[in-house]
Amino acid sequence: MSADLFEFLCRMGDNTLILGHRVSEWCGHSPVLEEDIALANTALDLIGQTQLWLGLAGEVEGQGRSADDLAFLRDAWDFRNVLLVELPNGDFGQTLMRQFLFDAWQELMLGALKESSDARVAEIAEKASKEVAYHVERSGDTVIGLGDGTEESHQRMQAALDYLYPYVGEMFESDAVDAAMAKAGIAPDPASLRDAYDARLAQVMAEATLSIPDDRFAHAGGRTGRMHTEHLGHILSTMQWLQRAYPGATW
Amino acid sequence: MQPRVDEIWDWLDQVPDPEIPVISLVDLGIIRDVEWQGDTLQVTVTPTYSGCPATSVINFEIEKALRDHGIEKLELKRQLSPAWTTDWLTEKGREKLEDYGIAPPSPTKGPERCPHCGGTHLERISEFGSTPCKAQWRCKDCLEPFDYFKCI
């Protein structure tokens, strides 16, 4: 059980870690100051949630690894994030589309985790879901604003959705780890969240005048660790550089 | 002799929030418990936002303040649940925020009035502000922008 729980917690923590890092890449580059601040705030929340998830993962594993050890000293094949969060930022619209696709899933997942049979998981979910409520409100509003905006913004948002949609399905895949979590009442079977997610997506995309692709093909392999995209290694080389070059460095 | 718990609460009420120094850590509602466990003082603190960078500074400030008052054995405990809510801001803290130019949180999902002129014609600029706990708003009466302490 503890191996499955460790795996589950890494999936949660790696999602927020990698997306938090990706979003932080915008710092100082956003189209307007308010958006720069909003993205930095979102990244900060995600990194904060990472500390909680990976901190608990280290505790459950019981080998003395801290959240920092897990974040900075594992290599690409040990990461368990979904592929969606490691994809490049693209333009501002693509970043916000990715954010919405993730936020809408995270909101449902955390909502279910608040009822987890594991009190430690439930209290992290309780904390994080308050933050995510703000994330999804903003990313959803922005998707609508840009989708139903100018001809160019609409076109870019449709292109972003077409590019990112094949990465949505992985968030709802279930494997033996998920079955063990569901059986123990720790976490829901991700597949059980799909209907509510689809309803939310349909509502927001309709308002944004965007068309959801028909094809349900899903790229996968990130959350099981079978295969990441080529982008993850590049993220890690930036993110982990300092600890790799100067092991144990602190300030 | 051990200082009384209410005395320690008073000391903590003198420690300013590092980001919004006009209110104290007690005003912010993040000190959840102060209690003697034998000869060790245990202070329970809850984070505002999980990624708030002020959290580690806050712990440092608590420790420093209590050590300055002669507390030697001190343990800071992190408590996640129940999650921090802006309902825990003290009335005194809310007034100080408004005097300082930050609209206090309001359950109506937006500030009640402009902290500068008291105007009620307001618009939201951004859901996110200079710190994770604030949003940016503007008053259409006096045309000044201001921070709003978000409800959470």
Side-chain angles (χ1 to χ4, degrees):
Chain A
M1 173 48 69
S2 78
D4 286 330
L5 182 55
F6 174 74
E7 184 81 4
F8 168 74
L9 293 167
C10 285
R11 289 173 177 182
M12 293 301 294
D14 288 345
N15 279 342
T16 50
L17 174 63
I18 299 302
L19 185 59
H21 186 84
R22 264 291 184 236
V23 174
S24 78
E25 291 170 359
W26 273 101
C27 197
H29 300 280
S30 304
V32 289
L33 183 61
E34 286 77 7
E35 290 307 324
D36 205 280
I37 292 170
L39 284 164
N41 268 295
T42 306
L44 206 54
D45 284 342
L46 292 169
I47 300 295
Q49 293 164 16
T50 304
Q51 287 174 339
L52 300 176
W53 290 124
L54 293 187
L56 181 55
E59 203 180 302
V60 165
E61 187 191 38
Q63 292 182 19
R65 287 204 282 182
S66 67
D68 280 347
D69 292 338
L70 291 170
F72 295 122
L73 301 177
R74 282 178 303 156
D75 216 326
W77 47 79
D78 290 325
F79 274 76
R80 295 293 182 264
N81 57 282
V82 292
L83 301 178
L84 175 71
V85 298
E86 67 195 42
L87 296 177
N89 286 334
D91 58 22
F92 178 74
Q94 185 176 314
T95 294
L96 265 295
M97 179 63 81
R98 184 187 60 200
Q99 191 68 36
F100 174 69
L101 295 174
F102 179 77
D103 289 344
W105 170 83
Q106 205 196 8
E107 187 183 38
L108 289 169
M109 184 50 127
L110 292 174
L113 290 180
K114 281 200 278 188
E115 312 300 324
S116 175
S117 62
D118 187 317
R120 299 166 302 179
V121 170
E123 66 181 22
I124 295 174
E126 181 194 351
K127 179 91 208 143
S129 61
K130 287 185 161 207
E131 297 160 359
V132 170
Y134 277 104
H135 298 174
V136 71
E137 188 180 325
R138 167 174 173 271
S139 61
D141 283 354
T142 313
V143 164
I144 292 169
L146 291 174
D148 187 19
T150 65
E151 199 178 316
E152 182 177 357
S153 73
H154 173 85
Q155 222 167 44
R156 287 190 187 218
M157 293 311 274
Q158 186 62 57
L161 181 58
D162 292 345
Y163 170 58
L164 295 170
Y165 193 71
Y167 295 90
V168 163
E170 188 185 10
M171 295 189 286
F172 302 96
E173 283 199 340
S174 305
D175 63 6
V177 173
D178 300 299
M181 290 299 102
K183 193 163 172 245
I186 294 174
D189 176 354
S192 70
L193 306 172
R194 183 84 204 227
D195 287 349
Y197 183 87
D198 283 345
R200 178 76 184 263
L201 208 62
Q203 175 237 322
V204 168
M205 294 310 160
E207 241 184 289
T209 69
L210 299 172
S211 317
I212 300 169
D214 293 328
D215 195 343
R216 280 281 182 108
F217 169 78
H219 294 286
R223 72 194 295 277
T224 58
R226 183 176 59 82
M227 187 175 65
H228 282 275
T229 67
E230 69 271 31
H231 306 294
L232 182 64
H234 292 275
I235 297 174
L236 298 185
S237 68
T238 308
M239 192 179 81
Q240 299 182 334
W241 174 84
L242 193 105
Q243 278 304 320
R244 300 293 191 182
Y246 303 95
T250 58
W251 67 56
Chain B
M1 208 181 73
Q2 280 183 351
R4 291 193 324 272
V5 165
D6 60 330
E7 220 174 326
I8 296 165
W9 275 100
D10 284 343
W11 295 342
L12 292 171
D13 199 19
Q14 305 298 316
V15 183
D17 173 80
E19 292 280 1
I20 313 167
V22 68
I23 58 171
S24 77
L25 298 181
V26 173
D27 286 330
L28 193 58
I30 58 168
I31 312 280
R32 301 315 302 159
D33 198 23
V34 175
E35 150 178 75
W36 284 104
Q37 302 270 8
D39 61 350
T40 303
L41 181 68
Q42 196 178 67
V43 178
T44 306
V45 187
T46 193
T48 51
Y49 283 72
S50 47
C52 185
T55 305
S56 57
V57 181
I58 285 171
N59 285 347
F60 174 79
E61 297 289 344
I62 293 172
E63 193 164 342
K64 183 171 171 297
L66 295 179
R67 297 228 184 275
D68 286 351
H69 281 286
I71 304 286
E72 280 167 14
K73 288 195 171 173
L74 174 66
E75 192 188 311
L76 291 181
K77 209 173 109 188
R78 184 189 73 181
Q79 180 179 302
L80 284 183
S81 179
W84 180 74
T85 158
T86 35
D87 295 346
W88 292 345
L89 278 170
T90 62
E91 200 46 48
K92 162 169 79 81
R94 294 174 60 90
E95 283 166 21
K96 284 189 194 164
L97 276 178
E98 194 167 17
D99 282 348
Y100 189 61
I102 300 173
S106 145
T108 54
K109 283 206 101 180
E112 274 164 32
R113 58 175 179 260
C114 167
H116 305 305
C117 76
T120 51
H121 299 94
L122 312 172
E123 65 177 342
R124 191 180 78 191
I125 302 174
S126 172
E127 194 70 89
F128 295 85
S130 54
T131 61
C133 54
K134 286 180 269 161
Q136 298 175 73
W137 282 66
R138 175 167 34 222
C139 173
K140 291 197 267 191
D141 291 330
C142 70
L143 305 179
E144 288 293 326
F146 63 89
D147 270 340
Y148 165 59
F149 208 103
K150 296 194 284 221
C151 245
I152 189 173

